[in-house]
Amino acid sequence: MNSTHAENAAQFLADEPRANWHDETLWIVRQKRDKAAANIPEWERLRQQASAIKDEVLANLDVYLEQFEAAAIKNGATVFWAADAAEFNQIMLNIIRRHKAKNIVKSKSMLTEECGLNRFLQSQGVEVVDTDLGERIIQFRHEAPSHIVLPAIHLKRQEIGETFHEKLGTEAGNSDPTYLTRAARKHLREKFLAAEIAITGVNFAVAETGSVVVCTNEGNADMGVQSAPVQIHCMGLEKILPRQTDLGVFTRLLARNATGQAVTSYTSHYMQPKPEGAMYIVIVDNGRSARLANPKYIQSLKCIRCGGCMNTCPVYRRSGGHSYGYVIPGPIGSILAPHTHHYPDLPFASSLCGSCSNVCPVKIEIHEQLYHWRQDLMQHRQTSWLKRMAMKATGIALSGNRRYNTLGAVARWAVAHLPRKLLYLPVNTWGVGRELPQAPQQSFKAWYKTNNPSKKQTS
Amino acid sequence: MKQYRIGLFIPCYIDMFYPQVGIATLELLQKLGQEVVYPDKQTCCGQPLANSGAEKEAIATYKHFVAQFRGFDYIVTPSGSCAYHVRHHFDILEQTDDVRQVRENTFELCEFLTDILQVEDLKIKFPHRVGLHQSCHGLRGLKLASASELIEQRYSKLRRLLEKAEGIELIELDRPDECCGFGGTFSIFEPDVSVKMGRDRIADHERHHAEYITSYDMSCLMHMEGIIRRQGKAIKVIHVAEILNRNSL
């Protein structure tokens, strides 16, 4: 997508009733989260603890990764390391070819989205069926997820009914959720039963045990892994937790913060291959170690992909996940995206209200990170020339009393005297839906000079 | 009540467009027996630049600010956002004694009244239905109130100052602290989302029959007022200093 977030958002907002529905739907999720969090009196301490564990992991990642690898191998798994998306995709293709597999199912994994795995495998003649219901819906529609936990949240059930009618032969015009879910279940059951390889994402990888933990609400990761002889777990290298006992901190936070559930319906621990089966774990870097080496932005690697920042973000709710153009939308996506080359407008797609930082279960200061990215993008000339010049000029104007006073006088004069047509030219984007402030008789400074109330002071 | 020597910091847009807010702040502090000095060469805290990514371009403005405001017991401003910026984002300056003192001693008006002067009852009469807009930087940055996301004891310095006013009815909102969408230059670089956020915020106040929306930040109110006037709505905005200054002290 080449258009900017602002342009995409304007398009999203053109259908206001739909935008309102999107906002309301996600606000309900936020409210559920508030309720679930409030049921844990030690919630804020839990966040602090999770944040500290993640800090410890990032500070010793090399050690924990090797510990994890050794334990996983001892358990009977095969571990691969991928430096980037291309290597990851190739490793996946090689495994699939080695097992001569035709029927492949995959549960939700943002990492595979990030690496474009489906697209790559398709180009090699390999079809992968996404088994998360939301993912399957958008796969049918050839769309990207608009949310990392609720990938089809941008769709209304009527649209899903139409898609299922076309792809699964459900009754035309029937969008009853139970009816549609049953149709999906029947369709996916066939896929599970035929599966030769099951691919999953990884929520947590425990260094001391070598096990991977996958959290789902639909049990689709288990359905795949239990029926296919071969299982592949794909993880970003930051998914490590040191100890089994750390898990409880995160499983308590994850579902509550994501959807307001006390715990995900399924929390599955995979440790070793099935008899006659094979278990692969693919650990992916794809820019993470570079981020790890950058102390200013390292904290974005603490993210556990709960999506809480999206649900609370007033901008996300009113612009939709697709408006960001990056695989992970919303506040966290805007600090995870590789800005220096792409997506230079994303750090500006925020009012810096800070709600994201307050809900973040691992206490990433998301809005402060956005603020810092803005500085870097400006310094690296990734913003428009016009904007940079305007900022330079404003900087000069605001740093001196006389220049500043002149600026104020001109602004007041313009608002008071310029014809409306001129004041509200399209270049004045303030005027899109707002009136400019009315010009007072004089500035506070001028009032103070003439009235100088310090003379009347009691002191 | 203790008396302090206060440097009055009037943010740029208040100086330029809302002098009545500056006047109310000044008068209120004087009525409370404070020695208030307005350094008349002051300009701006530099936030409009820094929030746009031009922190480097703002340094000269930061330095000018520190030069104007050094040496006061406190620097008080009718803006949570500007106070937050000075306290939090002047960290890129060399931390001289002046810079440190200016940062530490800069207070938003409401928190200065509740935390430093420990004002309990200002004896105000304001017989209206009022909605509180807890602007984000004051709320989450300065912690002027408990934010709805955090699981903590509920409080609000703004509410505490207003709830004793005679005749006032403070309304409850469906979304107690959602951002209004001003966001500094966000309002002009993302105008559509910004305006939509503002419209939704105003609608929440209207649903609960507020006559006034009040806040410790005129910038949010300027944005909402712009929408209210464009749409010809009846609801009004008023800076909290203008309410608090209607006291009978």
Side-chain angles (χ1 to χ4, degrees):
Chain A
M1 207 178 295
N2 290 319
S3 38
T4 64
H5 178 270
E7 290 161 354
N8 298 334
Q11 214 173 357
F12 182 86
L13 287 167
D15 186 349
E16 194 168 2
R18 193 184 177 101
N20 288 342
W21 163 78
H22 189 264
D23 167 61
E24 281 292 336
T25 305
L26 287 156
W27 182 254
I28 290 169
V29 183
R30 155 76 206 270
Q31 285 177 305
K32 285 186 183 167
R33 171 264 173 211
D34 289 352
K35 240 176 150 174
N39 281 336
I40 308 281
E42 69 274 28
W43 180 259
E44 300 301 335
R45 269 196 292 133
L46 209 55
R47 288 175 69 218
Q48 189 58 49
Q49 203 180 346
S51 169
I53 294 169
K54 282 286 181 180
D55 282 336
E56 184 203 340
V57 168
L58 293 179
N60 303 286
L61 194 55
D62 54 336
V63 178
Y64 288 129
L65 275 168
E66 287 183 352
Q67 191 191 353
F68 171 77
E69 183 191 30
I73 291 172
K74 209 172 150 202
N75 293 339
T78 307
V79 179
F80 288 104
W81 299 80
D84 54 22
E87 192 179 0
F88 168 70
N89 290 339
Q90 194 58 51
I91 289 169
M92 296 299 281
L93 181 66
N94 292 349
I95 298 172
I96 291 165
R97 290 212 169 132
R98 184 176 313 145
H99 290 278
K100 298 187 178 62
K102 294 262 179 304
N103 299 305
I104 301 157
V105 292
K106 174 162 77 73
S107 66
K108 204 142 77 59
S109 152
M110 285 313 294
L111 177 68
T112 61
E113 295 285 342
E114 175 189 322
C115 296
L117 178 69
N118 282 14
R119 219 175 28 248
F120 170 77
L121 290 180
Q122 212 160 22
S123 75
Q124 303 297 314
V126 177
E127 283 297 328
V128 174
V129 174
D130 278 316
T131 59
D132 173 88
L133 179 55
E135 290 264 307
R136 188 62 179 147
I137 292 165
I138 57 167
Q139 190 177 36
F140 277 145
R141 297 170 61 94
H142 307 289
E143 289 177 358
S146 69
H147 187 292
I148 63 172
V149 172
L150 313 159
I153 196 69
H154 59 289
L155 295 172
K156 295 197 166 193
R157 61 190 170 92
Q158 288 78 6
E159 292 162 308
I160 296 164
E162 283 162 31
T163 302
F164 277 18
H165 172 62
E166 190 191 319
K167 303 286 183 184
L168 299 178
T170 55
E171 294 166 21
N174 194 338
S175 60
D176 176 63
T178 310
Y179 172 71
L180 293 179
T181 310
R182 286 206 174 124
R185 182 186 168 107
K186 187 164 164 259
H187 161 73
L188 288 171
R189 278 286 149 92
E190 290 159 15
K191 302 293 178 190
F192 286 129
L193 289 173
E196 296 154 287
I197 293 183
I199 302 170
T200 81
V202 169
N203 290 91
F204 309 103
V206 183
E208 69 175 3
T209 62
S211 64
V212 296
V213 180
V214 182
C215 304
T216 75
N217 274 326
E218 297 165 25
N220 56 312
D222 301 271
M223 293 289 281
V225 169
Q226 301 314 331
S227 54
V230 179
Q231 62 199 82
I232 313 174
H233 308 286
C234 314
M235 57 179 270
L237 51 74
E238 80 284 15
K239 292 289 171 190
I240 294 281
L241 293 181
R243 300 154 293 262
Q244 184 79 10
T245 49
D246 297 325
L247 260 178
V249 174
F250 289 89
T251 50
R252 290 185 84 196
L253 286 165
L254 178 65
R256 286 186 172 89
N257 216 53
T259 57
Q261 297 164 273
V263 70
T264 44
S265 306
Y266 300 86
T267 302
S268 310
H269 305 243
Y270 301 118
M271 214 156 170
Q272 48 188 213
K274 294 173 285 292
E276 315 288 312
M279 175 172 173
Y280 299 93
I281 299 170
V282 189
I283 303 173
V284 184
D285 185 333
N286 202 34
R288 287 164 176 77
S289 57
R291 183 60 63 89
L292 190 68
N294 186 340
K296 200 157 151 196
Y297 297 118
I298 187 174
Q299 49 170 298
S300 61
L301 291 175
K302 289 158 78 174
C303 175
I304 59 168
R305 306 291 192 268
C306 69
C309 61
M310 290 160 210
N311 306 334
T312 202
C313 179
V315 176
Y316 172 89
R317 279 187 263 111
R318 290 176 184 81
S319 57
H322 291 150
S323 67
Y324 293 81
Y326 180 59
V327 59
I328 298 179
I332 186 67
S334 296
I335 66 168
L336 284 169
H339 295 297
T340 19
H341 305 295
H342 311 283
Y343 318 106
D345 62 318
L346 291 188
F348 296 92
S350 161
S351 61
L352 299 183
C353 78
S355 185
C356 48
S357 305
N358 270 359
V359 298
C360 180
V362 288
K363 301 192 87 161
I364 303 170
E365 290 185 301
I366 303 175
H367 73 294
E368 289 293 337
Q369 296 274 293
L370 289 168
Y371 177 88
H372 291 309
W373 273 113
R374 290 182 182 190
Q375 313 308 328
D376 283 7
L377 289 163
M378 190 65 114
Q379 295 313 318
H380 291 114
R381 300 168 165 248
Q382 296 288 320
T383 50
S384 76
W385 179 85
L386 190 67
K387 187 173 170 180
R388 290 202 307 278
M389 289 308 117
M391 288 302 145
K392 263 208 175 96
T394 312
I396 293 165
L398 293 180
S399 60
N401 179 43
R402 285 217 184 129
R403 293 187 293 273
Y404 162 88
N405 290 344
T406 309
L407 181 74
V410 170
R412 272 190 308 282
W413 182 87
V415 171
H417 295 98
L418 285 184
R420 189 171 173 88
K421 259 191 189 160
L422 208 58
L423 267 182
Y424 288 91
L425 283 173
V427 64
N428 168 18
T429 54
W430 177 272
V432 162
R434 289 165 292 215
E435 293 295 296
L436 291 161
Q438 284 161 318
Q441 290 287 323
Q442 55 186 354
S443 67
F444 175 81
K445 210 176 259 193
W447 174 88
Y448 186 84
K449 205 165 261 172
T450 45
N451 291 273
N452 202 357
S454 59
K455 286 174 192 158
K456 302 175 222 160
Q457 227 170 267
T458 47
S459 60
Chain B
M1 199 171 291
K2 273 183 87 169
Q3 197 201 41
Y4 299 102
R5 191 163 168 273
I6 294 170
L8 179 64
F9 162 35
I10 299 302
C12 54
Y13 59 94
I14 292 184
D15 171 46
M16 290 178 186
F17 291 106
Y18 298 96
Q20 75 277 13
V21 175
I23 296 169
T25 308
L26 174 68
E27 288 180 352
L28 176 62
L29 289 169
Q30 287 178 332
K31 278 192 254 182
L32 292 168
Q34 303 303 307
E35 184 193 346
V36 189
V37 177
Y38 173 75
D40 67 355
K41 288 191 175 52
Q42 63 177 278
T43 60
C44 167
C45 68
Q47 184 177 197
L49 293 158
N51 274 9
S52 312
E55 201 174 46
K56 284 240 163 75
E57 286 73 11
I59 287 178
T61 305
Y62 291 177
K63 286 184 174 163
H64 181 77
F65 184 97
V66 173
Q68 302 308 307
F69 286 101
R70 65 182 165 209
F72 289 103
D73 295 335
Y74 290 103
I75 297 144
V76 178
T77 182
S79 164
S81 189
C82 301
Y84 173 72
H85 193 73
V86 171
R87 247 193 247 173
H88 200 79
H89 285 137
F90 277 27
D91 58 344
I92 63 159
L93 293 177
E94 189 196 336
Q95 297 301 296
T96 60
D97 286 349
D98 281 346
V99 171
R100 265 192 311 102
Q101 277 170 15
V102 163
R103 287 180 65 193
E104 282 166 17
N105 297 335
T106 296
F107 277 73
E108 181 280 327
L109 175 66
C110 293
E111 70 174 343
F112 183 72
L113 296 178
T114 57
D115 297 7
I116 307 298
L117 296 187
Q118 305 192 336
V119 164
E120 279 305 327
D121 188 355
L122 281 165
K123 310 259 183 265
I124 317 157
K125 195 170 163 187
F126 198 69
H128 298 285
R129 286 180 66 85
V130 177
L132 304 183
H133 179 66
Q134 317 243 32
S135 301
C136 301
H137 289 171
L139 173 73
R140 300 189 185 86
L142 298 178
K143 302 192 176 297
L144 298 184
S146 53
S148 62
E149 303 91 10
L150 298 177
I151 309 305
E152 63 180 4
Q153 191 81 43
R154 298 285 155 219
Y155 68 94
S156 160
K157 295 176 185 180
L158 182 61
R159 177 175 288 270
R160 209 176 104 190
L161 287 170
L162 288 174
E163 66 193 357
K164 293 204 179 83
E166 195 186 320
I168 203 166
E169 260 186 277
L170 296 175
I171 59 147
E172 296 294 333
L173 294 165
D174 294 334
R175 301 186 188 182
D177 52 17
E178 174 128 303
C179 177
C180 70
F182 171 64
T185 50
F186 174 79
S187 63
I188 54 174
F189 294 128
E190 289 261 3
D192 298 274
V193 183
S194 171
V195 168
K196 175 65 177 149
M197 285 165 71
R199 285 216 304 262
D200 290 353
R201 203 79 296 263
I202 294 162
D204 198 346
H205 287 270
E206 285 179 323
R207 267 197 305 280
H208 298 91
H209 312 292
E211 295 166 65
Y212 287 95
I213 304 174
T214 194
S215 168
Y216 41 75
D217 263 311
M218 199 63 217
S219 48
C220 305
L221 296 178
M222 169 173 75
H223 160 72
M224 287 191 274
E225 183 193 40
I227 295 169
I228 289 167
R229 280 179 43 228
R230 172 66 60 88
Q231 300 194 328
K233 289 176 178 295
I235 193 166
K236 295 182 279 283
V237 302
I238 185 169
H239 191 281
V240 65
E242 294 176 86
I243 301 180
L244 299 178
N245 190 40
R246 295 183 183 202
N247 58 26
S248 52
L249 286 175

